[in-house]
Amino acid sequence: DAKTTQPPSMDCAEGRAANLPCNHSTISGNEYVYWYRQIHSQGPQYIIHGLKNNETNEMASLIITEDRKSSTLILPHATLRDTAVYYCIVRVPFSGNTGKLIFGQGTTLQVKP
Amino acid sequence: EAGVTQFPSHSVIEKGQTVTLRCDPISGHDNLYWYRRVMGKEIKFLLHFVKESKQDESGMPNNRFLAERTGGTYSTLKVQPAELEDSGVYFCASSQLSGTDTQYFGPGTRLTVL
């Protein structure tokens, strides 16, 4: 069963920041939050991940609330090529540092000119 | 660096036939995962290899599915005999054994069972 809930769709104007919310109220202490996106019929593409602290990379920023029950993915300057389905995912660990990704339904982000 | 590759990209078979899907992970990635999305559902985990060993196959739907990773390089997923409900997109992902286990996905194989 999915461990995350996301709005099914969102719009964003080109050049503006896109803020995608995610709820993961049942997340456990050792479970990471991952974000992936899927453009048309390609495979899921990794964006960013975090455990407790906020994270930033060249693609996006991830803001995780202090209680870890929700997070927000921020695309600072959305372009038309950012139109995709965005998945907020909880990674359930196996032993060591491996784990399975639990996908939800995702948010379809439409970036408009 | 080449990404994860999967073959074939599409497969159309009849109910009762056998199909074998192949995944080539990123070179040097010891972790290999299979996932799938069936119609209208979320992408779901099937199983995980570390090198040639199956570590977790809790997501395999039934014994018609057999995954192998002989030699710890590429992996195959065989469906025998295929049923209508097996239709969907099968994804493979790989990650390094050390580090953060960031999983990189292939483009998927779209399987249609008629």
Side-chain angles (χ1 to χ4, degrees), chain B residues 34 39 75 87 112:
Chain B
W34 284 96
M39 186 70 73
S75 174
S87 295
T112 302

Side-chain angles (χ1 to χ4, degrees), chain B residues 22-106:
Chain B
R22 173 170 170 148
C23 168
D24 285 78
I26 292 171
S27 177
H29 282 195
D30 289 326
N31 289 314
L32 189 148
Y33 302 81
W34 284 96
Y35 294 81
R36 76 171 181 176
R37 187 204 333 259
V38 295
M39 186 70 73
K41 304 282 190 177
E42 301 98 355
I43 296 172
K44 290 203 170 177
F45 167 82
L46 295 178
L47 85 159
H48 166 231
F49 285 96
V50 175
K51 298 183 181 178
E52 68 276 5
S53 300
K54 289 178 193 173
Q55 294 296 297
D56 188 296
E57 47 185 332
S58 59
M60 294 286 264
N62 52 61
N63 60 9
R64 295 184 294 102
F65 289 76
L66 175 63
E68 295 180 319
R69 194 182 181 197
T70 307
T73 54
Y74 70 91
S75 174
T76 58
L77 180 65
K78 182 162 71 173
V79 186
Q80 179 183 29
E83 298 288 344
L84 300 178
E85 64 264 25
D86 301 331
S87 295
V89 183
Y90 290 76
F91 294 104
C92 174
S94 71
S95 69
Q96 293 180 312
L97 199 54
S98 60
T100 60
D101 187 40
T102 297
Q103 298 177 27
Y104 296 93
F105 281 76

